[in-house]
Amino acid sequence: MTLKPSDAELVARAKLGDLAAFEALTSRYEQRVYSLAMRMLRQEQDAEDVTQQTFLSALENLNGFRGEASFSTWLLRIAAHAALKVIRKRKGLDTVSLEEATESQDENGAIPHPEYIADWRQSPEELVQRNETRRLLDGALAQLDEKHRLVFLLRDVEGLSVKETAEALGLSEANVKVRLLRARLQLREQLTRTLGNPERRLIPTHNHPH
Amino acid sequence: MKCEEMLAMLNEYVDGTIDPAICDEFEQHMAGCNPCQVVVDNIRKTITLYKAGQPYELPLKFHERLHGALREKWKETHKSK
């Protein structure tokens, strides 16, 4: 059995002019980049555009990739910014810079309290099997502000660390943590309204003396 | 520890990066607070569910188009050397 070459090896070969190595990297990550774009944009054409832009930009800027981050984090960063750009454009805000789009101004307010609290009727393992689950998950994601959605997708779906997510988005780690908490709480709230068992709903006791 | 404070620590607890001393307090609070227990459980399940979601299938036609575009770009950027 031949061992699959590492990303770093493929990057090194591509930098020396080996197109096959770059295509191998593309084949390795195109699905992940496309999925991230689909979850951000929910529209195939836009997701394809973002995916293509991401790999073309990676190809052009490969010599600028010094390997401080992993190749996948570097790619996801390019994809994240391309997706944000599409969202800004949709909102008619194409003159707004990406720095502004990822800047934090509104993260200082109080953390929203959970309201609908109930055990779920089914386990995640059972839910994953059901066709309507994807619609529910994507619908809940779509309700999130894109800044929160992107942090959640990179950290919890793509499995980047808090540090890597911060690097990918040009945010501080503290900011990533606040956004992640908001995203998780909001998704929990949304999903529990559908998946929670109303008979076992608990009333939040905001300030009990423990 | 109040519910409010425990909410602020939620990420660290769920990700297992919480300070052990605070973790004890956190768990003591949960033992006496059923809503907080359920919220933590809901959050864990939410993350699990998203993690387990299947990626979107990349259309085969697009895969071909993408690689075609890359080969074009490669020719452009490598011919001058």
Side-chain angles (χ1 to χ4, degrees), chain A residues 1 5 10 23 32-34 39 42 44 46 54 58 63 69 86 98 104 113 118 139 142 155 159 163 185 201 206-207:
Chain A
M1 216 176 86
L10 289 172
E23 284 200 65
R32 270 175 78 183
V33 168
Y34 180 75
R39 289 185 172 117
R42 306 185 86 200
E44 282 172 30
D46 285 347
T54 300
N63 284 324
V86 172
L98 289 174
S104 62
H113 251 289
R155 172 73 184 95
K163 188 164 177 276
L185 283 169
R201 186 172 175 191
H206 285 189
N207 276 311

Side-chain angles (χ1 to χ4, degrees), chain A residues 57-179:
Chain A
S57 165
L59 189 161
E60 279 184 290
N61 296 300
L62 193 63
N63 284 324
F65 171 65
R66 303 264 175 246
E68 295 99 350
S70 70
F71 183 71
S72 57
T73 302
W74 185 66
L75 267 184
L76 291 170
R77 166 169 42 196
I78 301 173
H81 284 263
L84 277 178
K85 215 171 185 172
V86 172
I87 290 171
R88 304 304 285 186
K89 207 166 234 167
R90 281 183 187 168
K91 291 182 174 172
L93 296 169
D94 43 344
T95 53
V96 174
S97 71
L98 289 174
E99 286 68 34
E100 266 176 78
T102 51
E103 205 177 77
S104 62
Q105 304 132 340
D106 56 344
E107 308 297 341
N108 300 322
I111 301 155
H113 251 289
E115 281 174 29
Y116 197 107
I117 303 175
D119 279 322
W120 290 6
R121 282 162 296 181
Q122 289 171 296
S123 70
E125 292 72 27
E126 289 166 322
L127 287 161
V128 157
Q129 308 294 328
R130 302 175 68 98
N131 288 329
E132 62 267 32
T133 299
R134 167 166 276 180
R135 215 173 332 126
L136 175 69
L137 295 184
D138 285 356
L141 260 185
Q143 307 269 320
L144 295 186
D145 184 283
E146 65 265 14
K147 293 177 298 185
H148 297 140
R149 186 162 19 148
L150 202 45
V151 167
F152 179 79
L153 287 173
L154 291 180
R155 172 73 184 95
D156 280 342
V157 178
E158 293 302 328
L160 267 54
S161 67
V162 169
K163 188 164 177 276
E164 289 168 331
T165 306
E167 283 167 2
L169 299 176
L171 297 170
S172 69
E173 287 184 46
N175 205 260
V176 166
K177 285 182 190 171
V178 175
R179 290 186 188 193

Side-chain angles (χ1 to χ4, degrees), chain A residues 24-68:
Chain A
L25 282 167
T26 305
S27 296
R28 199 172 272 183
Y29 291 112
E30 60 194 10
Q31 183 89 69
R32 270 175 78 183
V33 168
Y34 180 75
S35 276
L36 177 71
M38 271 300 278
R39 289 185 172 117
M40 281 304 288
L41 304 168
R42 306 185 86 200
Q43 212 271 341
E44 282 172 30
Q45 188 57 55
D46 285 347
E48 288 185 5
D49 288 349
V50 162
T51 307
Q52 181 149 328
Q53 270 176 39
T54 300
F55 287 100
L56 285 175
S57 165
L59 189 161
E60 279 184 290
N61 296 300
L62 193 63
N63 284 324
F65 171 65
R66 303 264 175 246
E68 295 99 350

Side-chain angles (χ1 to χ4, degrees), chain A residues 14 17-19 22-23 26-27 30-31 34-35 38-39 44-45 47-49 51-52 55-56 59-60 63 111-114 116-120 122-125 127-128 133-134 136-138 140-141 152 155-157 177 180-181 184-185 187-188 191-192 195 202-208 210, chain B residues 1-17 25 28-78 81:
Chain A
D18 181 353
L19 170 60
F22 190 80
E23 284 200 65
T26 305
S27 296
E30 60 194 10
Q31 183 89 69
Y34 180 75
S35 276
M38 271 300 278
R39 289 185 172 117
E44 282 172 30
Q45 188 57 55
E48 288 185 5
D49 288 349
T51 307
Q52 181 149 328
F55 287 100
L56 285 175
L59 189 161
E60 279 184 290
N63 284 324
I111 301 155
H113 251 289
Y116 197 107
I117 303 175
D119 279 322
W120 290 6
Q122 289 171 296
S123 70
E125 292 72 27
L127 287 161
V128 157
T133 299
R134 167 166 276 180
L136 175 69
L137 295 184
D138 285 356
L141 260 185
F152 179 79
R155 172 73 184 95
D156 280 342
V157 178
K177 285 182 190 171
L180 183 66
L181 181 59
R184 284 172 169 181
L185 283 169
L187 291 171
R188 185 214 70 84
L191 295 189
T192 306
L195 301 173
L202 298 168
I203 301 306
T205 45
H206 285 189
N207 276 311
H208 72 110
H210 273 285
Chain B
M1 190 181 271
K2 287 184 181 167
C3 300
E4 195 75 48
E5 297 166 274
M6 96 119 238
L7 212 55
M9 294 284 154
L10 204 58
N11 274 350
E12 285 74 12
Y13 182 72
V14 169
D15 293 337
T17 55
E25 265 190 74
Q28 263 171 37
H29 171 91
M30 284 218 297
C33 181
N34 204 3
C36 280
Q37 235 175 66
V38 174
V39 167
V40 168
D41 182 64
N42 285 168
I43 292 257
R44 285 212 162 107
K45 285 178 173 160
T46 299
I47 297 167
T48 306
L49 201 50
Y50 276 100
K51 270 207 174 111
Q54 290 299 307
Y56 278 90
E57 194 80 32
L58 185 100
L60 185 59
K61 277 216 172 96
F62 172 61
H63 167 85
E64 285 160 6
R65 215 164 51 239
L66 171 64
H67 284 253
L70 290 175
R71 286 192 282 267
E72 279 300 305
K73 187 61 136 190
W74 191 271
K75 261 192 256 167
E76 249 175 62
T77 51
H78 286 74
K81 286 178 192 168

